[in-house]
Amino acid sequence: AQSVTQPDIHITVSEGASLELRCNYSYGATPYLFWYVQSPGQGLQLLLKYFSGDTLVQGIKGFEAEFKRSQSSFNLRKPSVHWSDAAEYFCAVGAEEYGNKLVFGAGTILRVKS
Amino acid sequence: DTGVSQDPRHKITKRGQNVTFRCDPISEHNRLYWYRQTLGQGPEFLTYFQNEAQLEKSRLLSDRFSAERPKGSFSTLEIQRTEQGDSAMYLCASSLAGQGFDEQFFGPGTRLTVL
């Protein structure tokens, strides 16, 4: 079965500082990997996805993520955080062999200090 | 192109009552998913449809839960005899079936509070 671990429940960074949110997954073959963002009381917005090819993927709002097969990781990064980035971030994994459902991590709440 | 919509956005009910939520997917999408998100957790898969066929149900979907997609367009999720443990955000997503894994587009969710 697939699983996703986001080790950091909360992260606080200063505005303008760089950000890295960690995500580790457990799955045998090559998974499909996603990062979503959720503002309070809202649904999920897709930031970026990895399906195949270049292991460094670019997303919206200046985010990027790198797939590292050897580490089973898909960490999300942003070089300079803006106050509007404060939200909850979810890493998710999917695989055709397990149907079309997504398995999500527990999320990381990002706080931005001004 | 309107996104996925859900109705109502919020529902407060008393324990033991029945509730029904509606999801309208993106119009050309043939797959529709329901997820549940409790406080402090990521969304958990409940069930999904391809057209009107319900193809998979999670163990989380107890007998009190039923989902339908009668004409392959909108879907309803009904919870009978609600319990306090049903309090959660219920998220709907839709996708267009293709090769490989589909990208899912999420609606704003329905927040259920059971008193």
Side-chain angles (χ1 to χ4, degrees), chain A:
Chain A
Q2 305 165 89
S3 67
V4 178
T5 301
Q6 293 181 247
D8 304 305
I9 299 174
H10 297 98
I11 281 186
T12 301
V13 300
S14 297
E15 192 169 15
S18 63
L19 170 70
E20 183 169 28
L21 302 182
R22 296 182 290 164
C23 173
N24 293 94
Y25 64 90
S26 172
Y27 180 62
T30 301
Y32 297 88
L33 295 160
F34 305 82
W35 275 100
Y36 286 87
V37 61
Q38 185 178 39
S39 297
Q42 302 300 312
L44 299 170
Q45 181 183 23
L46 181 67
L47 286 175
L48 47 77
K49 63 188 178 189
Y50 173 78
F51 280 12
S52 65
D54 192 347
T55 56
L56 184 64
V57 293
Q58 302 297 320
I60 62 171
K61 305 185 180 186
F63 285 93
E64 66 178 27
E66 187 171 12
F67 169 57
K68 292 186 177 180
R69 183 192 301 275
S70 62
Q71 297 176 21
S72 297
S73 70
F74 189 56
N75 294 349
L76 181 71
R77 300 193 294 249
K78 186 169 184 178
S80 178
V81 169
H82 188 263
W83 65 267
S84 61
D85 294 324
E88 189 161 17
Y89 292 79
F90 293 95
C91 181
V93 63
E96 294 172 74
E97 299 91 297
Y98 291 104
N100 286 286
K101 59 181 175 287
L102 287 169
V103 174
F104 287 84
T108 298
I109 296 172
L110 173 64
R111 298 190 178 114
V112 181
K113 293 190 301 185
S114 57

Side-chain angles (χ1 to χ4, degrees), chain A residues 32 34 36 38 41-44 46 49 51 88 90 93-96 98-107, chain B residues 9 31 33 35 37 40-45 48 50 56 89 91 99-109 111:
Chain A
Y32 297 88
F34 305 82
Y36 286 87
Q38 185 178 39
Q42 302 300 312
L44 299 170
L46 181 67
K49 63 188 178 189
F51 280 12
E88 189 161 17
F90 293 95
V93 63
E96 294 172 74
Y98 291 104
N100 286 286
K101 59 181 175 287
L102 287 169
V103 174
F104 287 84
Chain B
R9 295 290 306 277
R31 286 181 174 161
Y33 311 77
Y35 292 82
Q37 183 179 19
Q41 298 297 318
E44 295 174 291
F45 170 80
Y48 96 94
Q50 178 153 325
E56 187 173 349
M89 174 81 92
L91 293 165
Q99 290 191 338
F101 197 88
D102 309 337
E103 178 179 337
Q104 298 178 22
F105 295 81
F106 283 81
R111 181 166 295 284

